[in-house]
Short mmCIF file of all heavy atoms in Angstrom, two decimals:
data_model
loop_
_atom_site.label_atom_id
_atom_site.label_comp_id
_atom_site.label_asym_id
_atom_site.label_seq_id
_atom_site.Cartn_x
_atom_site.Cartn_y
_atom_site.Cartn_z
N PHE A 77 117.62 82.94 90.36
CA PHE A 77 116.65 82.14 91.10
C PHE A 77 117.45 81.25 92.04
O PHE A 77 118.20 80.39 91.58
CB PHE A 77 115.81 81.32 90.12
CG PHE A 77 114.59 80.67 90.69
CD1 PHE A 77 113.83 81.27 91.68
CD2 PHE A 77 114.15 79.45 90.19
CE1 PHE A 77 112.68 80.67 92.17
CE2 PHE A 77 113.00 78.84 90.66
CZ PHE A 77 112.25 79.46 91.66
N SER A 78 117.31 81.45 93.35
CA SER A 78 118.11 80.72 94.33
C SER A 78 117.25 79.72 95.09
O SER A 78 116.10 79.99 95.39
CB SER A 78 118.75 81.69 95.32
OG SER A 78 119.58 82.61 94.65
N LEU A 79 117.86 78.60 95.42
CA LEU A 79 117.21 77.56 96.21
C LEU A 79 117.93 77.43 97.53
O LEU A 79 119.16 77.34 97.56
CB LEU A 79 117.27 76.22 95.46
CG LEU A 79 116.71 75.01 96.19
CD1 LEU A 79 115.19 75.08 96.26
CD2 LEU A 79 117.14 73.71 95.50
N SER A 80 117.17 77.44 98.63
CA SER A 80 117.77 77.31 99.96
C SER A 80 117.25 76.08 100.68
O SER A 80 116.06 75.74 100.58
CB SER A 80 117.48 78.55 100.81
OG SER A 80 118.11 79.68 100.29
N LEU A 81 118.17 75.44 101.39
CA LEU A 81 117.81 74.37 102.31
C LEU A 81 118.03 74.97 103.70
O LEU A 81 119.16 75.26 104.08
CB LEU A 81 118.69 73.15 102.11
CG LEU A 81 118.45 72.29 100.87
CD1 LEU A 81 118.85 73.03 99.59
CD2 LEU A 81 119.21 70.97 100.98
N GLU A 82 116.96 75.21 104.43
CA GLU A 82 117.06 75.94 105.70
C GLU A 82 117.85 75.18 106.75
O GLU A 82 118.64 75.74 107.49
CB GLU A 82 115.66 76.28 106.21
CG GLU A 82 114.87 77.17 105.27
CD GLU A 82 115.56 78.51 105.02
OE1 GLU A 82 116.23 79.03 105.93
OE2 GLU A 82 115.45 79.03 103.88
N SER A 83 117.61 73.88 106.83
CA SER A 83 118.33 73.03 107.78
C SER A 83 118.51 71.67 107.09
O SER A 83 117.62 70.83 107.12
CB SER A 83 117.53 72.88 109.07
OG SER A 83 118.22 72.05 109.99
N ALA A 84 119.65 71.51 106.46
CA ALA A 84 119.86 70.36 105.59
C ALA A 84 119.81 69.04 106.35
O ALA A 84 120.27 68.94 107.51
CB ALA A 84 121.20 70.50 104.87
N ILE A 85 119.24 68.04 105.68
CA ILE A 85 119.19 66.68 106.23
C ILE A 85 119.74 65.71 105.18
O ILE A 85 119.70 66.00 103.98
CB ILE A 85 117.77 66.28 106.65
CG1 ILE A 85 116.79 66.43 105.48
CG2 ILE A 85 117.31 67.11 107.84
CD1 ILE A 85 115.38 65.98 105.82
N PRO A 86 120.26 64.56 105.63
CA PRO A 86 120.92 63.64 104.68
C PRO A 86 120.05 63.21 103.49
O PRO A 86 120.59 63.01 102.40
CB PRO A 86 121.29 62.45 105.57
CG PRO A 86 121.55 63.06 106.91
CD PRO A 86 120.49 64.14 107.03
N ASN A 87 118.71 63.09 103.67
CA ASN A 87 117.93 62.63 102.51
C ASN A 87 117.70 63.73 101.48
O ASN A 87 117.01 63.50 100.48
CB ASN A 87 116.63 61.95 102.94
CG ASN A 87 115.58 62.91 103.43
OD1 ASN A 87 115.77 64.11 103.42
ND2 ASN A 87 114.44 62.36 103.85
N GLN A 88 118.30 64.91 101.70
CA GLN A 88 118.31 65.93 100.67
C GLN A 88 119.57 65.83 99.80
O GLN A 88 119.78 66.65 98.90
CB GLN A 88 118.19 67.33 101.28
CG GLN A 88 116.82 67.56 101.91
CD GLN A 88 116.72 68.92 102.59
OE1 GLN A 88 117.61 69.29 103.37
NE2 GLN A 88 115.66 69.65 102.30
N THR A 89 120.39 64.84 100.06
CA THR A 89 121.53 64.55 99.19
C THR A 89 121.00 64.15 97.82
O THR A 89 120.21 63.21 97.69
CB THR A 89 122.38 63.42 99.78
OG1 THR A 89 123.00 63.87 100.98
CG2 THR A 89 123.46 62.97 98.79
N ALA A 90 121.40 64.88 96.79
CA ALA A 90 120.86 64.66 95.45
C ALA A 90 121.60 65.55 94.46
O ALA A 90 122.46 66.35 94.83
CB ALA A 90 119.35 64.97 95.40
N LEU A 91 121.23 65.40 93.20
CA LEU A 91 121.71 66.29 92.13
C LEU A 91 120.58 67.30 91.86
O LEU A 91 119.44 66.90 91.65
CB LEU A 91 122.02 65.47 90.89
CG LEU A 91 122.68 66.13 89.69
CD1 LEU A 91 123.98 66.82 90.08
CD2 LEU A 91 122.94 65.08 88.62
N TYR A 92 120.92 68.58 91.93
CA TYR A 92 119.91 69.64 91.78
C TYR A 92 120.13 70.37 90.46
O TYR A 92 121.24 70.73 90.11
CB TYR A 92 120.00 70.64 92.93
CG TYR A 92 119.53 70.05 94.23
CD1 TYR A 92 120.37 69.28 95.04
CD2 TYR A 92 118.22 70.25 94.66
CE1 TYR A 92 119.93 68.73 96.22
CE2 TYR A 92 117.77 69.70 95.85
CZ TYR A 92 118.64 68.93 96.62
OH TYR A 92 118.18 68.38 97.79
N PHE A 93 119.02 70.58 89.74
CA PHE A 93 119.08 71.27 88.46
C PHE A 93 118.19 72.50 88.47
O PHE A 93 117.06 72.47 88.96
CB PHE A 93 118.60 70.36 87.32
CG PHE A 93 119.58 69.30 86.95
CD1 PHE A 93 119.45 68.02 87.46
CD2 PHE A 93 120.63 69.57 86.09
CE1 PHE A 93 120.35 67.02 87.13
CE2 PHE A 93 121.55 68.59 85.75
CZ PHE A 93 121.40 67.31 86.27
N CYS A 94 118.71 73.55 87.88
CA CYS A 94 117.93 74.74 87.57
C CYS A 94 117.60 74.67 86.07
O CYS A 94 118.42 74.18 85.27
CB CYS A 94 118.75 75.98 87.89
SG CYS A 94 118.00 77.54 87.39
N ALA A 95 116.44 75.15 85.69
CA ALA A 95 116.06 75.19 84.28
C ALA A 95 115.29 76.47 84.00
O ALA A 95 114.73 77.08 84.91
CB ALA A 95 115.23 73.96 83.90
N THR A 96 115.27 76.86 82.73
CA THR A 96 114.51 78.04 82.31
C THR A 96 113.70 77.70 81.08
O THR A 96 114.01 76.76 80.34
CB THR A 96 115.44 79.22 81.97
OG1 THR A 96 116.11 78.96 80.72
CG2 THR A 96 116.49 79.44 83.04
N SER A 97 112.66 78.49 80.84
CA SER A 97 111.92 78.39 79.59
C SER A 97 111.24 79.72 79.30
O SER A 97 110.92 80.48 80.22
CB SER A 97 110.88 77.26 79.64
OG SER A 97 109.82 77.57 80.53
N PRO A 98 111.01 80.01 78.02
CA PRO A 98 110.28 81.22 77.66
C PRO A 98 108.79 80.97 77.85
O PRO A 98 108.37 79.83 78.04
CB PRO A 98 110.62 81.41 76.18
CG PRO A 98 110.90 80.04 75.69
CD PRO A 98 111.47 79.26 76.84
N PRO A 99 107.95 82.00 77.80
CA PRO A 99 106.51 81.79 77.86
C PRO A 99 106.04 80.95 76.68
O PRO A 99 106.73 80.87 75.66
CB PRO A 99 105.94 83.21 77.76
CG PRO A 99 107.06 84.11 78.12
CD PRO A 99 108.31 83.40 77.71
N GLY A 100 104.89 80.32 76.81
CA GLY A 100 104.38 79.50 75.71
C GLY A 100 103.86 78.17 76.17
O GLY A 100 103.60 77.29 75.36
N GLY A 101 103.69 78.00 77.49
CA GLY A 101 103.11 76.77 78.01
C GLY A 101 103.96 75.57 77.70
O GLY A 101 105.19 75.61 77.80
N SER A 102 103.31 74.50 77.28
CA SER A 102 104.01 73.25 77.13
C SER A 102 104.81 73.17 75.84
O SER A 102 105.57 72.23 75.64
CB SER A 102 103.01 72.11 77.17
OG SER A 102 102.00 72.31 76.18
N TYR A 103 104.67 74.12 74.96
CA TYR A 103 105.31 74.01 73.65
C TYR A 103 106.67 74.69 73.60
O TYR A 103 107.13 75.10 72.55
CB TYR A 103 104.37 74.58 72.58
CG TYR A 103 103.10 73.77 72.49
CD1 TYR A 103 101.94 74.21 73.12
CD2 TYR A 103 103.07 72.56 71.81
CE1 TYR A 103 100.78 73.46 73.07
CE2 TYR A 103 101.91 71.81 71.75
CZ TYR A 103 100.76 72.26 72.38
OH TYR A 103 99.62 71.52 72.33
N GLN A 104 107.29 74.80 74.75
CA GLN A 104 108.63 75.35 74.80
C GLN A 104 109.54 74.40 75.55
O GLN A 104 109.20 73.91 76.61
CB GLN A 104 108.62 76.71 75.53
CG GLN A 104 107.76 77.77 74.88
CD GLN A 104 108.34 78.23 73.57
OE1 GLN A 104 109.53 78.07 73.33
NE2 GLN A 104 107.51 78.79 72.72
#
Side-chain angles (χ1 to χ4, degrees):
Chain A
F77 192 35
S78 300
L79 176 71
S80 294
L81 287 68
E82 298 301 326
S83 180
I85 56 177
N87 74 3
Q88 292 177 311
T89 293
L91 187 55
Y92 290 84
F93 286 98
C94 174
T96 73
S97 69
S102 55
Y103 297 98
Q104 299 292 338

